[in-house]
Amino acid sequence: GGRRQRRTQGSHQSVGDVMTDKGLFDKESAAVYLSTSERRVDELRRAGHLLSVADGREFKYRRADLDLYIEQLPAYEPGKAS
């Protein structure tokens, strides 16, 4: 028998395990990587805080751009006004 590959839309059971090997992230994977919601990813993209690339009709996110966003987040300092 040959190898069967089954791809189902939206079922990313091992997304956390394979995340570091990806070159491009879809909105769902980017949200998991950033520990936020897919809605927040859309908001960040529209506001220009998160760079994306067009892949057909979808936006995709490069890991370097996700990491850059994370690096630019302000560090929390207790007792300091934000």
Side-chain angles (χ1 to χ4, degrees), residues 8-81:
T8 55
Q9 185 71 18
S11 65
H12 298 283
Q13 295 173 340
S14 62
V15 71
D17 299 331
V18 299
M19 184 118 0
T20 56
D21 296 332
K22 285 189 172 186
L24 288 176
F25 295 76
D26 61 11
K27 179 170 46 174
E28 179 184 4
S29 298
V32 171
Y33 190 80
L34 295 175
S35 299
T36 192
S37 67
E38 292 180 37
R39 180 178 177 179
R40 180 71 175 144
V41 170
D42 279 337
E43 291 171 352
L44 292 169
R45 177 185 51 77
R46 284 193 297 267
H49 298 296
L50 187 57
L51 295 177
S52 63
V53 295
D55 182 18
R57 293 172 51 183
E58 293 185 27
F59 291 104
K60 299 287 175 83
Y61 303 88
R62 294 178 289 226
R63 188 170 69 173
D65 294 328
L66 298 174
D67 289 339
L68 181 63
Y69 170 76
I70 292 169
E71 290 172 16
Q72 292 176 347
L73 290 173
Y76 172 70
E77 297 181 41
K80 187 174 182 182

